Amino acid sequence: MARQPLGLTIDMAKYIMKQKVKGNKRFPMVLMLEPTEMCNLTCTGCGKIRQAPEVLKMRLSAEECFAAVDECGAPAVSIAGGEPLVHPEIVDIVKGMLARKKLTMLCTNGILLHRVLDKLEPDPRFTFVFHLDGKREHHDKMVERKGVYDIVIKGIKAAKERGFRVATNTTLYKGASAKDTAELLQELMEIGVDNSILSPAFTYEEVDPSHSDIFLHRKEVNALVQEILDNAKGKVRFYDTPMYFDFLLGKKDLRCTPWGNPTRNPKGWKGPCYLLTDGHYDTFEEMMNQTNWEEFGYGENPRCASCMMHSGYEASAVGAMTPKDTWRLVRWFFAS
């Protein structure tokens, strides 16, 4: 079972080659679209929901979402938040992205899946991405509500029964059991999940200081990810590329590519990246041209010191590919 339909991977490869032929050093790969930052959970490690009430009440219209992806030009869009399923136009937003032939990922905590499951149809370009940080006890603890794990599993099964592509996104925090995480990922494969995304949590400044000890430092990430992979025993289809795993394991040094996954939310184009907010811009071009990109990344900015998020580094991993990496990527793509 391939990570994505081959045609979509070829489309992405063509896009990247076209940008390089044009001599573009900075170009978007995945639009991080946040139609709303409102959420129905208060996850312990999330900084997105800890904003002023007036911001959480704001939302992008479907037309503003379409304008954003057209303006940006990225071949893929990750619809996040907040919880995007609270948005009244979310079905129209998804359908509009697919009509534009965008690789579309809808990120959700699963609680409101019933609102959209019968209103959307399976499409090779569309994937539900369920947030699942661990087994029942750990996940429910991190999202601060009992019973959510069971809701997610039920939602995954329902989506697969209807023929949808399904991925999961597991965020790693300090205290996570490598053995339990690997077992969870194996169990997800058994119930039909197509791919799993693994990524360390970001140290949001907005998170309650009493919870600041939940975040991993780089050496801790290296050790935890290695232990998870050892326990997974090659039985998990990861969405993460082999080159990104090299980075997570400390085998490869990469510089962050914050412009690779630009963010559009109800306040505008968010800069400098999906995780840091130093300002908002009216247009994508303004964000790209007015951001001093050299100020950000590991070794350049203290806020980036522990960041190893896929939103910043997957684009870096792809951009730094060698001929050997290309062959590894081909084998990874077709791995069952």
Side-chain angles (χ1 to χ4, degrees), residues 200-219:
F202 178 69
T203 52
Y204 284 107
E205 296 175 334
E206 296 87 351
V207 170
D208 189 323
S210 65
H211 294 139
S212 61
D213 61 346
I214 67 173
F215 298 110
L216 296 157
H217 297 295
R218 289 195 163 212
K219 292 296 184 182

mmCIF file of all heavy atoms in Angstrom, residues 200-219:
data_model
loop_
_atom_site.group_PDB
_atom_site.id
_atom_site.type_symbol
_atom_site.label_atom_id
_atom_site.label_comp_id
_atom_site.label_asym_id
_atom_site.label_seq_id
_atom_site.Cartn_x
_atom_site.Cartn_y
_atom_site.Cartn_z
ATOM 1 N N PRO A 200 7.643 15.384 17.104
ATOM 2 C CA PRO A 200 7.776 15.910 18.458
ATOM 3 C C PRO A 200 6.907 17.157 18.637
ATOM 4 O O PRO A 200 6.664 17.903 17.682
ATOM 5 C CB PRO A 200 9.259 16.276 18.562
ATOM 6 C CG PRO A 200 9.916 15.619 17.402
ATOM 7 C CD PRO A 200 8.891 15.505 16.335
ATOM 8 N N ALA A 201 6.441 17.383 19.835
ATOM 9 C CA ALA A 201 5.641 18.570 20.135
ATOM 10 C C ALA A 201 6.500 19.822 20.070
ATOM 11 O O ALA A 201 7.717 19.782 20.269
ATOM 12 C CB ALA A 201 5.019 18.444 21.517
ATOM 13 N N PHE A 202 5.855 20.945 19.786
ATOM 14 C CA PHE A 202 6.540 22.237 19.795
ATOM 15 C C PHE A 202 6.333 22.897 21.153
ATOM 16 O O PHE A 202 5.256 22.807 21.744
ATOM 17 C CB PHE A 202 5.991 23.153 18.700
ATOM 18 C CG PHE A 202 6.623 24.513 18.681
ATOM 19 C CD1 PHE A 202 7.942 24.663 18.301
ATOM 20 C CD2 PHE A 202 5.910 25.636 19.078
ATOM 21 C CE1 PHE A 202 8.556 25.915 18.298
ATOM 22 C CE2 PHE A 202 6.503 26.891 19.066
ATOM 23 C CZ PHE A 202 7.830 27.038 18.680
ATOM 24 N N THR A 203 7.359 23.587 21.629
ATOM 25 C CA THR A 203 7.305 24.227 22.945
ATOM 26 C C THR A 203 6.585 25.574 22.866
ATOM 27 O O THR A 203 7.198 26.641 22.912
ATOM 28 C CB THR A 203 8.725 24.434 23.498
ATOM 29 O OG1 THR A 203 9.506 25.122 22.501
ATOM 30 C CG2 THR A 203 9.394 23.115 23.818
ATOM 31 N N TYR A 204 5.272 25.518 22.752
ATOM 32 C CA TYR A 204 4.478 26.752 22.697
ATOM 33 C C TYR A 204 4.672 27.596 23.952
ATOM 34 O O TYR A 204 4.559 27.099 25.076
ATOM 35 C CB TYR A 204 2.989 26.425 22.560
ATOM 36 C CG TYR A 204 2.563 25.986 21.197
ATOM 37 C CD1 TYR A 204 2.243 24.647 20.948
ATOM 38 C CD2 TYR A 204 2.450 26.885 20.143
ATOM 39 C CE1 TYR A 204 1.830 24.232 19.685
ATOM 40 C CE2 TYR A 204 2.039 26.474 18.883
ATOM 41 C CZ TYR A 204 1.732 25.151 18.659
ATOM 42 O OH TYR A 204 1.324 24.745 17.412
ATOM 43 N N GLU A 205 4.956 28.880 23.742
ATOM 44 C CA GLU A 205 5.119 29.795 24.877
ATOM 45 C C GLU A 205 3.814 30.003 25.626
ATOM 46 O O GLU A 205 3.804 30.339 26.812
ATOM 47 C CB GLU A 205 5.643 31.149 24.380
ATOM 48 C CG GLU A 205 7.041 31.073 23.767
ATOM 49 C CD GLU A 205 7.482 32.403 23.183
ATOM 50 O OE1 GLU A 205 6.601 33.203 22.810
ATOM 51 O OE2 GLU A 205 8.695 32.637 23.110
ATOM 52 N N GLU A 206 2.672 29.806 24.920
ATOM 53 C CA GLU A 206 1.371 30.064 25.516
ATOM 54 C C GLU A 206 0.925 28.974 26.498
ATOM 55 O O GLU A 206 -0.010 29.166 27.271
ATOM 56 C CB GLU A 206 0.305 30.197 24.414
ATOM 57 C CG GLU A 206 0.511 31.368 23.479
ATOM 58 C CD GLU A 206 1.426 31.022 22.314
ATOM 59 O OE1 GLU A 206 2.030 29.930 22.332
ATOM 60 O OE2 GLU A 206 1.543 31.845 21.383
ATOM 61 N N VAL A 207 1.590 27.817 26.446
ATOM 62 C CA VAL A 207 1.203 26.712 27.319
ATOM 63 C C VAL A 207 1.487 27.065 28.770
ATOM 64 O O VAL A 207 2.488 27.704 29.098
ATOM 65 C CB VAL A 207 1.956 25.426 26.913
ATOM 66 C CG1 VAL A 207 1.765 24.326 27.944
ATOM 67 C CG2 VAL A 207 1.468 24.962 25.550
ATOM 68 N N ASP A 208 0.594 26.638 29.661
ATOM 69 C CA ASP A 208 0.728 26.889 31.097
ATOM 70 C C ASP A 208 2.125 26.480 31.564
ATOM 71 O O ASP A 208 2.565 25.346 31.311
ATOM 72 C CB ASP A 208 -0.328 26.068 31.842
ATOM 73 C CG ASP A 208 -0.411 26.412 33.322
ATOM 74 O OD1 ASP A 208 0.636 26.685 33.938
ATOM 75 O OD2 ASP A 208 -1.534 26.395 33.867
ATOM 76 N N PRO A 209 2.857 27.383 32.250
ATOM 77 C CA PRO A 209 4.217 27.072 32.709
ATOM 78 C C PRO A 209 4.302 25.803 33.554
ATOM 79 O O PRO A 209 5.334 25.138 33.583
ATOM 80 C CB PRO A 209 4.592 28.309 33.536
ATOM 81 C CG PRO A 209 3.769 29.417 32.948
ATOM 82 C CD PRO A 209 2.479 28.778 32.554
ATOM 83 N N SER A 210 3.202 25.459 34.216
ATOM 84 C CA SER A 210 3.206 24.249 35.043
ATOM 85 C C SER A 210 3.301 22.982 34.202
ATOM 86 O O SER A 210 3.574 21.901 34.718
ATOM 87 C CB SER A 210 1.936 24.194 35.910
ATOM 88 O OG SER A 210 0.771 24.055 35.108
ATOM 89 N N HIS A 211 3.084 23.116 32.886
ATOM 90 C CA HIS A 211 3.174 21.977 31.982
ATOM 91 C C HIS A 211 4.390 22.046 31.068
ATOM 92 O O HIS A 211 4.497 21.288 30.109
ATOM 93 C CB HIS A 211 1.905 21.887 31.113
ATOM 94 C CG HIS A 211 0.671 21.573 31.880
ATOM 95 N ND1 HIS A 211 -0.543 22.175 31.626
ATOM 96 C CD2 HIS A 211 0.461 20.733 32.923
ATOM 97 C CE1 HIS A 211 -1.457 21.705 32.466
ATOM 98 N NE2 HIS A 211 -0.870 20.836 33.257
ATOM 99 N N SER A 212 5.302 22.970 31.370
ATOM 100 C CA SER A 212 6.451 23.167 30.477
ATOM 101 C C SER A 212 7.389 21.967 30.445
ATOM 102 O O SER A 212 8.204 21.827 29.527
ATOM 103 C CB SER A 212 7.237 24.415 30.903
ATOM 104 O OG SER A 212 7.729 24.268 32.232
ATOM 105 N N ASP A 213 7.258 21.073 31.442
ATOM 106 C CA ASP A 213 8.145 19.914 31.492
ATOM 107 C C ASP A 213 7.689 18.771 30.591
ATOM 108 O O ASP A 213 8.296 17.701 30.587
ATOM 109 C CB ASP A 213 8.273 19.417 32.937
ATOM 110 C CG ASP A 213 6.940 18.972 33.530
ATOM 111 O OD1 ASP A 213 5.893 19.293 32.934
ATOM 112 O OD2 ASP A 213 6.946 18.303 34.577
ATOM 113 N N ILE A 214 6.634 18.979 29.809
ATOM 114 C CA ILE A 214 6.144 17.905 28.929
ATOM 115 C C ILE A 214 6.861 17.889 27.583
ATOM 116 O O ILE A 214 6.694 16.960 26.804
ATOM 117 C CB ILE A 214 4.623 18.014 28.695
ATOM 118 C CG1 ILE A 214 4.283 19.281 27.887
ATOM 119 C CG2 ILE A 214 3.862 17.970 29.993
ATOM 120 C CD1 ILE A 214 2.818 19.357 27.475
ATOM 121 N N PHE A 215 7.657 18.906 27.314
ATOM 122 C CA PHE A 215 8.285 19.015 26.001
ATOM 123 C C PHE A 215 9.673 18.372 25.975
ATOM 124 O O PHE A 215 10.443 18.474 26.930
ATOM 125 C CB PHE A 215 8.376 20.476 25.583
ATOM 126 C CG PHE A 215 7.032 21.138 25.446
ATOM 127 C CD1 PHE A 215 6.627 22.106 26.353
ATOM 128 C CD2 PHE A 215 6.161 20.768 24.438
ATOM 129 C CE1 PHE A 215 5.383 22.709 26.241
ATOM 130 C CE2 PHE A 215 4.918 21.356 24.311
ATOM 131 C CZ PHE A 215 4.525 22.331 25.221
ATOM 132 N N LEU A 216 9.977 17.741 24.852
ATOM 133 C CA LEU A 216 11.239 17.024 24.690
ATOM 134 C C LEU A 216 12.325 17.922 24.109
ATOM 135 O O LEU A 216 12.055 18.771 23.259
ATOM 136 C CB LEU A 216 11.037 15.840 23.736
ATOM 137 C CG LEU A 216 10.083 14.727 24.201
ATOM 138 C CD1 LEU A 216 9.558 13.960 22.992
ATOM 139 C CD2 LEU A 216 10.795 13.791 25.163
ATOM 140 N N HIS A 217 13.557 17.713 24.552
ATOM 141 C CA HIS A 217 14.700 18.368 23.938
ATOM 142 C C HIS A 217 15.232 17.453 22.820
ATOM 143 O O HIS A 217 14.848 16.291 22.708
ATOM 144 C CB HIS A 217 15.776 18.651 24.976
ATOM 145 C CG HIS A 217 15.332 19.600 26.041
ATOM 146 N ND1 HIS A 217 15.020 20.915 25.780
ATOM 147 C CD2 HIS A 217 15.101 19.417 27.368
ATOM 148 C CE1 HIS A 217 14.634 21.510 26.900
ATOM 149 N NE2 HIS A 217 14.672 20.624 27.877
ATOM 150 N N ARG A 218 16.115 17.974 22.012
ATOM 151 C CA ARG A 218 16.540 17.252 20.804
ATOM 152 C C ARG A 218 17.129 15.869 21.088
ATOM 153 O O ARG A 218 16.799 14.903 20.412
ATOM 154 C CB ARG A 218 17.522 18.107 20.005
ATOM 155 C CG ARG A 218 16.827 19.297 19.342
ATOM 156 C CD ARG A 218 17.680 19.929 18.280
ATOM 157 N NE ARG A 218 16.819 20.774 17.426
ATOM 158 C CZ ARG A 218 17.016 20.983 16.147
ATOM 159 N NH1 ARG A 218 18.041 20.421 15.538
ATOM 160 N NH2 ARG A 218 16.207 21.740 15.441
ATOM 161 N N LYS A 219 18.005 15.764 22.040
ATOM 162 C CA LYS A 219 18.606 14.468 22.351
ATOM 163 C C LYS A 219 17.547 13.488 22.843
ATOM 164 O O LYS A 219 17.622 12.282 22.559
ATOM 165 C CB LYS A 219 19.699 14.639 23.415
ATOM 166 C CG LYS A 219 20.928 15.404 22.934
ATOM 167 C CD LYS A 219 21.657 14.650 21.814
ATOM 168 C CE LYS A 219 22.927 15.369 21.404
ATOM 169 N NZ LYS A 219 23.621 14.668 20.274
#
